[in-house]
Amino acid sequence: AADPKSSAVRHEETALFLNRTLRSGTRIEFAGHVVVLGDVNPGAEIVAEGNVIIWGRLRGMVHAGAQGNRNAVICALDLSPTQLRIAEEVSAILKPRDNPKPEIARINKAGKLQAEFWSPG
């Protein structure tokens, strides 16, 4: 039998893969998902209609679900942004941690933007 989750994948979804660190003054806007293999420094911005995945430190600003997608997520190995936004929800600055762990930010059932430690499964 077919995997019921596979039917939920939309073939028109696209992703932008950036294999570099985004420095201050860099602004990335993309109509799909954005994946960064590197850091997002303070003063750098990412605006995506889909999810944003940072394989590194997130210290800049990220807006996922920019066209109102409240199911979008933002993930980073070290989540310490100047600002996080998902759809129209905005979070305050998250303080850098002494011992950062991978985190995922999403809109919770109460409708608020919330970050939590990422755990597989």
Side-chain angles (χ1 to χ4, degrees):
D3 179 359
K5 291 181 182 175
S6 66
S7 63
V9 175
R10 296 188 318 209
H11 296 287
E12 70 272 17
E13 286 190 26
T14 58
L16 175 64
F17 180 79
L18 300 168
N19 188 11
R20 62 188 169 101
T21 290
L22 302 184
R23 309 234 175 260
S24 179
T26 303
R27 181 177 169 89
I28 303 294
E29 290 187 56
F30 193 68
H33 308 292
V34 175
V35 178
V36 177
L37 184 61
D39 296 338
V40 178
N41 288 341
E45 298 182 6
I46 299 173
V47 178
E49 291 181 22
N51 302 320
V52 178
I53 312 299
I54 311 295
W55 193 257
R57 290 187 170 109
L58 171 51
R59 302 272 196 254
M61 190 284 288
V62 171
H63 185 183
Q67 295 295 314
N69 178 1
R70 296 179 63 82
N71 294 317
V73 298
I74 300 167
C75 304
L77 296 182
D78 181 353
L79 191 67
S80 305
T82 51
Q83 185 183 81
L84 279 186
R85 297 177 69 184
I86 297 178
E88 66 283 349
E89 299 294 325
V90 180
S91 88
I93 294 174
L94 298 175
K95 301 282 187 253
R97 300 180 192 273
D98 291 334
N99 186 19
K101 294 184 174 128
E103 290 185 80
I104 182 168
R106 58 171 57 117
I107 297 177
N108 64 20
K109 290 181 175 133
K112 297 294 179 200
L113 184 55
Q114 173 183 332
E116 59 195 38
F117 290 120
W118 179 82
S119 60

